[in-house]
Amino acid sequence: GDGAEIDVFLGHPGARTVTGVGATVDARKRDTELKLLLGCTPEQMQMVQAFLSWPDSFGCVVLPRPTSHPLDHSGRSGQE
């Protein structure tokens, strides 16, 4: 990697909402990195994953942020 443990990909200028995270593992360098995706569309997340999957790596896993949360603001699930 570039020496930074966390990188940020902006889907559009001024984006501040986390829309996903990515993780990479470089087996050759024995390096792992975390990527924050801010304001990215699903298509942009696929582009990030493809860009970060290079030879000699274990690739990149991108996890989109869930659109709904199982817990309400009180910390309890809505099923109680």
Side-chain angles (χ1 to χ4, degrees):
D2 59 11
E5 277 84 31
I6 299 177
D7 294 325
V8 177
F9 287 84
L10 294 177
H12 60 84
R16 296 290 179 261
T17 302
V18 176
T19 51
V21 295
T24 62
V25 177
D26 185 330
R28 188 172 31 98
K29 293 182 181 180
R30 296 182 182 207
D31 180 47
T32 60
E33 290 188 1
L34 183 65
K35 317 297 182 180
L36 292 179
L37 286 64
L38 302 181
C40 291
T41 65
E43 293 79 20
Q44 289 170 324
M45 288 188 229
Q46 289 176 346
M47 290 171 50
V48 168
Q49 185 169 12
F51 175 74
L52 294 172
S53 296
W54 59 87
D56 295 331
S57 76
F58 288 120
C60 174
V61 174
V62 172
L63 302 171
R65 181 178 183 171
T67 55
S68 62
H69 301 282
L71 299 178
D72 65 18
H73 293 291
S74 68
R76 296 172 292 172
S77 70
Q79 300 176 9
E80 296 175 3

